Amino acid sequence: MAQRRLLEGLGVTVAEETAYRALLRHGPATLNELGAETGSSAAAIRRMLPRLEDLGLISRVAGRPLRLVATPPNIAIDILVARRQEELTHSRAAAALLATEVAERSGPQPEEVLEVVTGSDAVARRYLQLERNATRELLVLVHPPYAVDISDDHENQRRAARRGAPVVRGIYSPLAFEQPGMLAHTRRAIADGEQARLGQVPVKLAVADARTAILPLVSDEDRAVESALVVHPSALLDALVGLFETLWRAAVPLRLAEDRLQPEGWPQAPDAEVLALLAGGMKDDAIARQLGLSPRTVQRRVQVLCERLGARTRFHAGFLAAQRDLLSE
């Protein structure tokens, strides 16, 4: 059975430690004796001598033939530890110097600002990494197609466990709800603390802590999850954050959490949800699919809502609902 290595962390190789420990057991020994003790040759031990002496593990006994003696372990280890501490001190000083050199450059290099991710699986992993690393705020522009499976219960539970940290603000495109189950997914996210709005979304985007962003590399929606561009601190990242804030101010609150209003309040769910989706420009068929209603039922409810709001059209009803703060949580 191989001996357990004890000195590896102090920069001592297997052969060097084997020779040192053999010398500790044997006592003062000649090259031939030490070679026999370690299963090596006298020539191999002779080649190792300068290194063993430099490490402070052995010393030579005066006289002929050449005999070696092991340095007592408490002294040898102290020497090795002191040397390693000195190396670490030099390394820290070197790191500080290199950091200063980097800071003195005119600015970040292009390869440090932009990172290209290819492959839908890699894009999904990079997005989840960005989401999980966010500690203060996550900004998201939601638009299909999606790289991450919204029906993944394990991932949804993990998100719920991080409730309140970070703050999540999401702007949903009306097209976001074309995918079955997206409305229920969004309702859960809002219940877990997400601030959601409905509005125009020109591009898929996620920004974590205003330090890292991810967006599609190509504008073709059919290929939007096949590759992505990751943006690190730069003027481009500042512009993406500014774009989100502009769209946020123009978007309307999306109220999907049920049973939040008092019984006498108006509108009540699901009319509140119908109004929120109307305000985002969703069509009756899409609203019906998300709410699990028939298109005729949605049409009747839209007609009643228009009459109650005094709206001329369904879009006007959504506008009036937002104007009168009927969509806020």
Side-chain angles (χ1 to χ4, degrees):
M1 181 180 296
Q3 288 185 334
R4 178 186 175 192
R5 294 190 61 185
L6 301 177
L7 305 180
E8 181 179 10
L10 296 174
V12 180
T13 68
V14 175
E16 292 161 355
E17 182 173 338
T18 299
Y20 174 63
R21 294 175 70 171
L23 202 57
L24 282 175
R25 292 191 304 270
H26 186 279
T30 64
L31 296 178
N32 288 329
E33 291 170 340
L34 186 56
E37 184 73 15
T38 60
S40 184
S41 65
I45 298 296
R46 185 179 294 279
R47 288 193 297 270
M48 203 185 302
L49 272 181
R51 170 69 177 168
L52 291 170
E53 290 177 313
D54 184 60
L55 289 171
L57 294 177
I58 67 168
S59 57
R60 305 185 185 211
V61 179
R64 298 284 181 177
L66 174 63
R67 299 172 71 217
L68 307 173
V69 62
T71 305
N74 58 327
I75 298 175
I77 300 304
D78 284 346
I79 293 173
L80 291 172
V81 169
R83 177 174 299 189
R84 182 51 56 95
Q85 288 177 336
E86 182 179 359
E87 292 173 352
L88 291 174
T89 299
H90 285 310
S91 297
R92 291 191 183 100
L97 180 61
L98 292 173
T100 301
E101 292 178 356
V102 171
E104 289 175 351
R105 294 189 312 183
S106 58
Q109 302 301 301
E111 62 272 13
E112 297 172 341
V113 171
L114 302 177
E115 171 190 343
V116 176
V117 181
T118 57
S120 56
D121 289 342
V123 171
R125 287 194 299 270
R126 193 66 178 87
Y127 169 77
L128 290 174
Q129 180 186 47
L130 179 145
E131 181 187 64
R132 292 167 183 167
N133 289 341
T135 58
R136 299 189 309 276
E137 185 176 53
L138 181 67
L139 311 177
V140 187
L141 296 180
V142 186
H143 191 287
Y146 306 113
V148 177
D149 183 4
I150 63 170
S151 64
D152 186 338
D153 291 336
H154 176 73
E155 190 62 33
N156 291 332
Q157 290 171 4
R158 186 201 61 78
R159 288 190 180 98
R162 297 188 66 195
R163 184 173 185 171
V167 173
V168 180
R169 288 193 286 153
I171 304 176
Y172 291 77
S173 161
L175 294 177
F177 300 105
E178 292 290 333
Q179 177 172 332
M182 187 62 185
L183 192 66
H185 173 79
T186 306
R187 185 184 290 111
R188 288 193 300 269
I190 293 174
D192 289 333
E194 178 177 321
Q195 301 173 35
R197 294 190 176 186
L198 198 62
Q200 295 304 311
V201 176
V203 63
K204 291 163 58 69
L205 174 69
V207 184
D209 296 334
R211 291 195 57 80
T212 312
I214 185 170
L215 68 159
L217 182 63
V218 297
S219 58
D220 184 353
E221 290 188 6
D222 293 334
R223 300 167 54 205
V225 298
E226 294 179 5
S227 58
L229 189 65
V230 179
V231 183
H232 298 284
S234 59
L236 175 57
L237 180 61
D238 295 341
L240 292 173
V241 174
L243 170 65
F244 178 91
E245 296 297 349
T246 299
L247 296 173
W248 179 261
R249 289 190 292 269
V252 297
L254 182 58
R255 183 175 62 185
L256 298 178
E258 298 178 356
D259 302 327
R260 292 238 180 136
L261 300 178
Q262 297 299 322
E264 67 273 12
W266 187 86
Q268 294 188 16
D271 286 342
E273 295 181 342
V274 173
L275 280 173
L277 299 178
L278 279 177
M282 287 186 67
K283 297 180 179 180
D284 293 345
D285 288 347
I287 295 174
R289 282 196 299 272
Q290 291 298 326
L291 297 182
L293 303 173
S294 70
R296 289 182 62 84
T297 299
V298 171
Q299 290 169 6
R300 286 197 300 269
R301 287 189 175 176
V302 169
Q303 183 177 358
V304 171
L305 290 171
C306 287
E307 292 173 356
R308 184 156 189 177
L309 291 167
R312 297 184 299 275
T313 66
R314 58 197 305 282
F315 300 105
H316 189 208
F319 172 78
L320 291 176
Q323 187 180 54
R324 297 176 190 179
D325 204 26
L326 298 177
L327 305 179
S328 59
E329 297 185 32

